[in-house]
């Protein structure tokens, strides 16, 4: 608890919530794999980096890019997530630093970005199965299968976060193992000279950067589940650290194997090419394993993303940003209305193409990350003595400098966006800017009920209120 300009800052983690504590909390191992699926899910989808830039730049990108983007984002998530260990995550960070209006904008952009992202996974799941079941390639069977899969995975989220967490562990092990086997099989065929092939004049920078960015972001998504984590002040930083190692190795090792074991043909490096590599190196059985792992990985990413999206809506309702009914929990402790809204968004957006989905979600995600960086630096300056169970070992100047490289990267990604993606994304941003005053008007007219949970401490209180708010 720190003091600054006559005001004290209360760590909201000091206020217990007995009702929520009755539900099972997520421990370290399931949390690691939830983060793994929020960010990665395995090397499925990184093939385009080789097509765009060749082996050397692809390998270099997945080694360097984490230091520019993933490490700063994970560190900020660890500090802010332990400072605000409640559902809502980055929404609460921004609201605390910049006010509830910008907190709502953060919530809207990040939720929409997450739902757009989640619309990919049922489609990709069916894409990996259509070679075995051609009927899933299109038409009514594909539509029915996509809806059925969405409903089954949505029900899994409804049943509880602990179930989702352990399912993520099992799916993660199943998805990683075939690449370990592929690496062992490939050892006699590896030629290190193939790793250093590069042609700087033949690089699709837009595809290259979007592929890296899409595969290495969303570290902050786990913050929206902080209220469901067992001892988040210790568990969250530890899980982020191990997940970072798992994600980077999960990308780099398969790329190392695939580019080193086979002659280069950049045109072949598209989504699903790892299954072809597996067949060449190990046979049909390994190809089937990779395809099954890819399908299961999409299931894991879906349930992890939906968990974050739905608990974010619950956290926003508990802070009075959304109507009270978004804060209602099922008998399993899950946010039923948030899950239904997120599932509806997935179904409505599933008609978009893969490239459009990736570009649109990256655009919205960039706006949200700019707000997070501003909130992080502002809270460091405004409340330097506030309690931070995990604190990045940098001062104010160091914190600002840490945010500069990822901010430059954001500007590059935004600049490379197509006009169509930029227009659609900016329209979505404008909707959020109008929606918040609209919801305030609805609250004022009492058409819907809004309330702030009594179990959450005030983010900013005057000195004489500290004692009261700490025991409330």
């Amino acid at each position: 608890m720190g003091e600054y300009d006559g005001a004290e800052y209360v760590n909201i983690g000091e206020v217990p919530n007995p009702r929520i504590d009755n539900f099972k909390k997520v421990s370290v191992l399931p949390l690691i794999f939830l983060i793994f699926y929020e960010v990665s899910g395995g090397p499925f989808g990184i093939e385009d980096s080789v097509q765009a830039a060749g082996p050397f730049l692809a390998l270099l990108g997945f080694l360097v890019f984490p230091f520019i983007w993933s490490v700063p984002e994970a560190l900020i998530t660890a500090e802010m997530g332990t400072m605000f260990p409640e559902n809502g995550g980055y929404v609460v960070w921004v609201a605390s630093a910049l006010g509830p209006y910008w907190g709502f904008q953060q919530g809207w952009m990040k939720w929409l970005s997450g739902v757009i992202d989640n619309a990919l996974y049922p489609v990709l799941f069916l894409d990996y199965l259509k070679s075995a079941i051609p009927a899933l390639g299109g038409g009514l069977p594909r539509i029915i299968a996509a809806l059925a899969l969405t409903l089954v995975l949505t029900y899994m989220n409804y049943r509880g976060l602990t179930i989702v967490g352990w399912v993520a562990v099992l799916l993660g092990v199943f998805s990683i193992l075939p690449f370990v086997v592929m690496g062992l099989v490939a050892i006699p065929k590896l030629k290190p000279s193939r790793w250093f092939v590069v042609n700087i004049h033949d690089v699709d920078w837009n595809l290259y950067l979007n592929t890296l960015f899409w595969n290495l972001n969303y570290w902050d998504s786990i913050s929206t589940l902080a209220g469901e984590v067992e001892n988040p002040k210790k568990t969250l930083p530890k899980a982020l650290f191990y997940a970072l190692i798992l994600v980077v190795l999960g990308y780099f090792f398969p790329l190392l194997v695939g580019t080193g074991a086979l002659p280069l043909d950049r045109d072949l490096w598209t989504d699903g090419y790892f299954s072809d590599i597996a067949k060449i190196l190990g046979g049909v059985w390994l190809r089937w394993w990779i395809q099954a792992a890819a399908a299961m990985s999409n299931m894991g990413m879906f349930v992890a993303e939906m968990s974050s999206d739905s608990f974010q809506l619950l956290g926003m309702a508990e802070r009075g940003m959304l109507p009270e009914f978004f804060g209602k929990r099922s008998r399993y402790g899950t946010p039923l209305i948030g899950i239904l809204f997120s599932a509806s968004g997935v179904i409505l957006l599933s008609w978009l193409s893969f490239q459009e989905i990736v570009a649109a979600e990256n655009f919205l995600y960039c706006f949200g990350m700019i707000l997070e960086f501003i909130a992080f630096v502002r809270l460091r300056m405004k409340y330097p003595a506030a309690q931070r169970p995990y604190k990045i070992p940098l001062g104010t100047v160091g914190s600002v400098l840490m945010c500069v490289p990822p901010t430059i990267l954001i500007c590059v990604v935004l600049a490379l966006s197509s006009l169509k993606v930029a227009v659609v994304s900016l329209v979505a941003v404008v909707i959020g800017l109008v929606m918040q005053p609209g919801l305030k008007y609805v609250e004022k007219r009492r058409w819907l009920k809004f309330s702030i949970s009594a179990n959450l401490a005030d983010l900013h209180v005057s000195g004489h209120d500290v004692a009261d708010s700490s025991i409330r």
Side-chain angles (χ1 to χ4, degrees), residues 325-381:
F325 61 78
F326 278 98
K328 301 295 183 184
R329 291 175 180 258
S330 70
R331 59 184 174 137
Y332 302 107
T334 50
L336 177 59
I337 303 301
I339 289 173
L340 292 176
F341 263 74
S342 298
S344 300
V346 168
I347 292 171
L348 290 172
L349 292 167
S350 59
W351 56 271
L352 293 171
S353 73
F354 179 86
Q355 289 81 7
E356 287 174 331
I357 288 175
V358 170
E361 71 165 279
N362 279 350
F363 200 97
L364 291 170
Y365 188 83
C366 285
F367 276 124
M369 286 309 304
I370 290 172
L371 286 178
E372 279 184 36
F373 292 152
I374 293 171
F376 167 66
V377 173
R378 181 169 172 78
L379 289 174
R380 273 294 191 97
M381 296 172 67

Side-chain angles (χ1 to χ4, degrees), residues 34-42 70 121 214-220 243 247 251 301 305:
L34 279 172
I35 297 170
F36 173 72
Y37 275 115
E38 292 278 12
V39 176
S40 167
S70 301
Y121 302 128
W214 182 61
N215 281 287
L216 286 164
N217 62 15
Y218 282 91
W219 292 95
D220 57 340
V247 167
Y251 286 146
M301 287 187 283
E305 182 65 56

